[in-house]
Amino acid sequence: MATVLVKDLIEAGVHFGHRASRWNPKMRPYIYARRNLIHIIDVRETIRGLLRARKYLHKVASQGSLVLLVARSGSRAT
């Protein structure tokens, strides 16, 4: 599963982060590299976070609790 997920994430472009000048220092553990003034997000850390979220949501749902997911589509022009 993780191999397919990595390929899908990279194809979707999730590894492209902010301009390097607009970053929060708390993001340091999640930044893989810096190229052309853009931070590249560590896809391995993204997958770890997604797997942790899936485990947590499974636990919550198995207890009969409701789960509400809110998402925003598109990108914001800045």
Side-chain angles (χ1 to χ4, degrees):
M1 178 189 112
T3 305
V4 174
L5 185 58
V6 169
K7 184 176 180 248
D8 292 339
L9 290 173
I10 289 175
E11 286 177 1
V14 299
H15 59 291
F16 292 112
H18 292 264
R19 291 188 52 86
S21 61
R22 301 185 67 195
W23 76 298
N24 186 326
K26 292 180 182 178
M27 288 296 294
R28 185 180 311 276
Y30 309 105
I31 295 174
Y32 176 74
R34 178 178 156 181
R35 299 220 174 98
N36 298 329
L37 301 176
I38 300 290
H39 280 143
I40 306 299
I41 304 298
D42 190 347
V43 176
R44 292 175 298 186
E45 288 297 325
T46 302
I47 290 172
R48 284 186 192 115
L50 289 171
L51 292 174
R52 279 193 304 265
R54 183 178 77 170
K55 183 179 177 181
Y56 175 76
L57 290 172
H58 178 65
K59 177 182 158 189
V60 169
S62 68
Q63 295 172 350
S65 298
L66 297 176
V67 176
L68 173 65
L69 298 176
V70 178
R72 181 176 162 225
S73 64
S75 63
R76 182 176 69 162
T78 55

